[in-house]
Amino acid sequence: MHLPLPEPLEQRPLGLPVHRTSTFAFATAQDYADVLGFRKPGYSYSRIENPTVVAFARAVAALEGHGVDGPVAADAFASGMAAIATVLLTLCRAGANVVAPRALYGGTYGVLTADLARFGVETRLVDGGDLSAVRAAVDADTAVLWAETLANPTMAVADLPALAGVARESGVPLVVDSTFASPAVCRPLEHGVDLVVHSATKYISGHSDVTGGVVVGRPELVERVRGARINLGGSLSPDDAFLLHRGLATLPLRVERQCASALAYAQALSRHPRVARVDYPGLPGHRDHDLARRLFDSGPAGTRYGAVVTVTPAGGRPAGLQFCDRLRLATIATSLGGHHTVVSHAASTTHRQFDDAALAAAGIDPGAVRVSIGLEDVGDLIADAVHALDGLD
Ligand SMILES: *Cc1c(COP(=O)(O)O)cnc(C)c1O
């Protein structure tokens, strides 16, 4: 059976076309050779490049590159972890070390300590907020300085300009996982960061219906990561690129609203008698409040401090678990950044490998609950949380 191909479209559609194809046809064998040899522009194979995926990557580059001197490029991946693993494999070699904050995303910690360690890459974990500790850990074999704009679940803010200074002094690339902030809160390239990675699964998608990742930065560096992505194969699919591109269209609106709701939620809950502690950089008592004000964007509702709030009910582990169970509007689930408010009890989920001593060292209470604020009515969200707290044992 032969299914004929459609003619190329002359007109430009306003919606993003989904080029759901693994391969691209050439008029002549010479065209095929010229495209592969970079003598002619064109697409050959979707693991290498696909127009829908390129459109998504370019949109992220435009967003993250806003206010940055010089060109910015981006490359898209099938998940945040595909992006992170590919960046680390691009920059590291046997005998190198990576300097990263102790409060590191679990998946990144896994790639470094379980996978890259077998290839002779050493991981040096430091207090990311202690600049002299960071500086002391960096040496001639450091291949990457890693940071996270907002750390989970303490919501510690990375001092990006200061870390960029350390990276520049030592000639080491600074890579920042900015998933928790999203480009609608902070654009790390503006602060001297070399590469930004996102789990696009979170705020960029915004609808909890797709996984994806993206790497953004100077074109020379992104080009090296792209080369590794083509070899390693963690490329984004065209359908998922369509959903992520659509997510970008409403990202600033969604995040603006989620941040405003998160601030109101954090303020209301910090006054509740059953709450021991609320970690949210929008609260003046948070250790990084001033830094967040300096680094993060503001809009009509004031500075955007992100939309993840960590609530610690008094009563330790059982109180944290019971708080989650008593919520009716918020869902118990992993992930964040979507329009549904979701909660997870840190000590039994994201930080389950930590015993109580390790939790204490990391500044995490055994009762801490991470709340990713969604797009529900904020009054309803607060009423739900107050009801859950009022009924705790
Ligand atoms: C979710 C997440 C990742 C991993 O992204 P996936 O899309 O799940 O692979 C990496 N970093 C942070 C901070 C995350 O929250």
Side-chain angles (χ1 to χ4, degrees), residues 79-81 84 105 177 179-180 199 201-202 212 336:
S79 69
M81 283 319 304
I84 288 168
Y105 177 70
D177 180 340
T179 300
F180 271 59
S199 165
T201 313
K202 315 294 167 56
L336 63 129

Side-chain angles (χ1 to χ4, degrees), residues 257-272 275 278-280 283 307-312 323 327 329-330 341-343 369-374 376-386 388-389:
R257 160 77 180 259
Q258 284 168 290
C259 290
S261 295
L263 179 59
Y265 188 91
Q267 286 167 339
L269 266 56
S270 63
R271 290 190 292 264
H272 194 284
V275 170
V278 174
D279 291 283
Y280 183 67
L283 297 177
V308 180
V309 181
T310 299
V311 178
T312 303
F323 174 60
L327 291 166
L329 191 53
T341 293
V342 301
V343 295
V369 174
R370 185 182 84 189
V371 186
S372 168
I373 298 290
E376 302 88 344
D377 179 89
V378 66
D380 291 349
L381 286 173
I382 292 170
D384 187 36
V386 166
L389 290 164

Side-chain angles (χ1 to χ4, degrees), residues 110-138:
V111 170
L112 288 168
T113 58
D115 300 309
L116 283 174
R118 284 183 289 117
F119 298 92
V121 176
E122 181 201 346
T123 300
R124 298 179 176 174
L125 297 178
V126 295
D127 173 356
D130 180 349
L131 276 182
S132 52
V134 173
R135 198 176 277 115
V138 172

